[in-house]
Amino acid sequence: MLSKESKIYVAGHRGLVGSAIWNNLLQRGYTNLVGRTHKELDLTDQVAVRKFFDEERPEAVVLAAAFVGGIMANSLYRADFIMMNMKIQCNVISESYAHGVRKLLFLGSTCIYPKNAPQPMKEDCLLTSPLEYTNEEYAIAKIAGLKMCESYNLQYGTNYIAVMPTNLYGPNDNFHLENSHVMPAMMRKVYLAKLLNDGDWEAICRDLDIRPVEGVSGSSQGDDIAHILEKYGIYNNKVVLWGTGTPLREFLWSEDMADASVHVLLNVDFSDIIGIEKYSSVHYGASVDGAVDRDHSAGRGGAIPKLGEIRNCHINVGTGKELTIRQLSELVVKAVGFEGTVEFDATKPDGTMRKLIDVEKLHSLGWTHKVEIEDGVNRLFQWYKESLNTKH
């Protein structure tokens, strides 16, 4: 168990999930937190990551940093998605081991599951059939990350836990139209279409000043603004969204995800997940003097024949509930107060048709979600409006 004085490094502490985890830890009295912005520490730089661990020596690590985006970004930047994420994961996990980190929490994504996986998706359906093509590279990187955690545990007796959240949304979400996920992108489009109908160019310009789109900001010419908004399906009192609107999606409020993550970090060990009270002959990853125990025979953990094959040790994190993209758009329209029309462009890809996860393992470990989608959509829109009145 980590003490309130334990130094905890949160990688990605400014992001959607990382910031929520940071705040959740603070609220629980864990104040010895360490964070670095991308400008301060490039996690793809192995030398820089090693230097950071040499200097800070964290007792626990939360790996919430990742290179992320929606369908469009995944399609355009395939090499970046696999290479950037693999570098981040390899550097942070390997240096955590080299520096005797006691507990590591790795955050993945439910896109790790096969495109045609049985619904709801249990942890055991991992690697049973092909992935969804549009996010294959990101999914493969995340699968590698969870397998790194599992493999270090089995070979070295470490205590690295991987959690796989469903679609997340909440404070500090990414609303940049070029690479945002479905809900914030949809919300911003609906809001801008409402502003166009209201003729509120001051609000439109403020929005674009804070979050420019392909270099177009609030100081750009009116024709340029109209052109870029139309490119993303935003018209006067009308919004065009990608796909048919029929895919089913599950959404989890980011602060709920943070609470689940911290619950796992503080209360769940690898031995709890695999159901073996004591699977290792050494304490997780470090000897008494803090040096890493590299005696493979002493710390092989579950990688011993009598325990059989151990895999799929990650934990799904979600609500176990779903709705269609069209139903989501109706909730967004209501929250924004939009009275125009929402159309779906069926010539554009839908992505995976259904992605509901089984959360039985999570519930058995003592955690369930609190924020329902209807309340969450309203909360997100209130946060977005407040963000437009904050100096960036």
Side-chain angles (χ1 to χ4, degrees), residues 372-388:
E372 301 295 351
I373 185 70
E374 296 82 2
D375 181 30
V377 168
N378 285 318
R379 290 194 197 188
L380 182 62
F381 184 56
Q382 290 306 313
W383 181 88
Y384 181 67
K385 284 198 299 183
E386 290 169 9
S387 78
L388 297 175

Side-chain angles (χ1 to χ4, degrees), residues 4-268:
K4 296 290 175 68
E5 290 72 39
S6 297
K7 181 181 281 190
I8 304 173
Y9 168 46
V10 182
H13 75 294
R14 292 281 183 86
L16 172 65
V17 185
S19 62
I21 289 174
W22 182 283
N23 291 333
N24 190 286
L25 284 165
L26 288 177
Q27 289 163 12
R28 292 175 185 245
Y30 291 81
T31 56
N32 191 7
L33 305 181
V34 180
R36 293 287 187 277
T37 64
H38 176 68
K39 188 175 182 180
E40 293 168 333
L41 175 61
D42 180 359
L43 293 176
T44 66
D45 183 338
Q46 184 178 13
V47 174
V49 174
R50 182 171 298 156
K51 183 173 184 288
F52 166 80
F53 274 86
D54 284 344
E55 294 171 354
E56 292 293 341
R57 297 277 171 175
E59 194 171 336
V61 169
V62 176
L63 181 43
F67 188 74
V68 299
I71 291 177
M72 184 183 294
N74 274 277
S75 299
L76 292 174
Y77 309 117
R78 300 182 75 91
D80 290 346
F81 270 88
I82 192 165
M83 185 60 74
M84 299 284 279
N85 284 298
M86 288 293 290
K87 283 183 176 179
I88 291 169
Q89 294 163 192
C90 287
N91 290 340
V92 174
I93 293 173
S94 64
E95 292 305 325
S96 292
Y97 173 67
H99 291 82
V101 166
R102 286 182 55 206
K103 191 79 177 278
L104 181 142
L105 186 74
F106 171 74
L107 278 73
S109 165
T110 53
C111 71
I112 63 169
Y113 293 118
K115 179 176 182 176
N116 298 315
Q119 304 287 322
M121 299 179 291
K122 291 181 177 290
E123 286 87 353
D124 288 346
C125 73
L126 180 68
L127 297 176
T128 55
S129 60
L131 298 163
E132 160 62 40
Y133 180 74
T134 57
N135 64 5
E136 195 172 40
E137 281 70 20
Y138 183 71
I140 288 172
K142 288 300 177 183
I143 291 169
L146 75 87
K147 284 294 181 184
M148 283 182 218
C149 293
E150 192 176 278
S151 300
Y152 269 83
N153 292 341
L154 295 175
Q155 183 170 345
Y156 298 119
T158 51
N159 200 11
Y160 300 168
I161 313 294
V163 290
M164 300 296 126
T166 188
N167 300 293
L168 299 173
Y169 69 106
N172 296 311
D173 216 332
N174 174 14
F175 284 83
H176 292 273
L177 296 180
E178 295 129 286
N179 60 3
S180 61
H181 285 125
V182 59
M183 191 189 299
M186 181 188 294
M187 187 170 284
R188 188 180 182 194
K189 289 176 181 181
V190 169
Y191 177 63
L192 287 169
K194 180 180 185 297
L195 294 180
L196 283 172
N197 185 61
D198 294 344
D200 192 345
W201 277 93
E202 182 181 344
I204 292 170
C205 291
R206 185 165 63 248
D207 182 285
L208 289 171
D209 274 336
I210 292 172
R211 299 177 180 88
V213 181
E214 294 187 26
V216 175
S217 67
S219 58
S220 300
Q221 295 294 321
D223 287 347
D224 292 335
I225 291 175
H227 177 73
I228 200 68
L229 293 183
E230 286 182 10
K231 177 180 176 180
Y232 286 90
I234 305 163
Y235 302 87
N236 186 335
N237 223 29
K238 184 179 83 170
V239 172
V240 179
L241 302 175
W242 277 30
T244 62
T246 58
L248 287 156
R249 289 292 181 272
E250 174 184 13
F251 294 93
L252 180 67
W253 182 245
S254 60
E255 291 172 336
D256 267 356
M257 173 57 196
D259 195 61
S261 298
V262 176
H263 173 81
V264 170
L265 179 70
L266 300 179
N267 302 300
V268 179

Side-chain angles (χ1 to χ4, degrees), residues 352-386:
T352 307
M353 291 307 294
R354 193 181 182 206
K355 259 179 62 174
L356 180 66
I357 56 172
D358 184 295
V359 288
E360 184 179 346
K361 183 189 287 188
L362 178 66
H363 289 173
S364 73
L365 294 168
W367 190 91
T368 55
H369 77 283
K370 300 172 185 67
V371 179
E372 301 295 351
I373 185 70
E374 296 82 2
D375 181 30
V377 168
N378 285 318
R379 290 194 197 188
L380 182 62
F381 184 56
Q382 290 306 313
W383 181 88
Y384 181 67
K385 284 198 299 183
E386 290 169 9

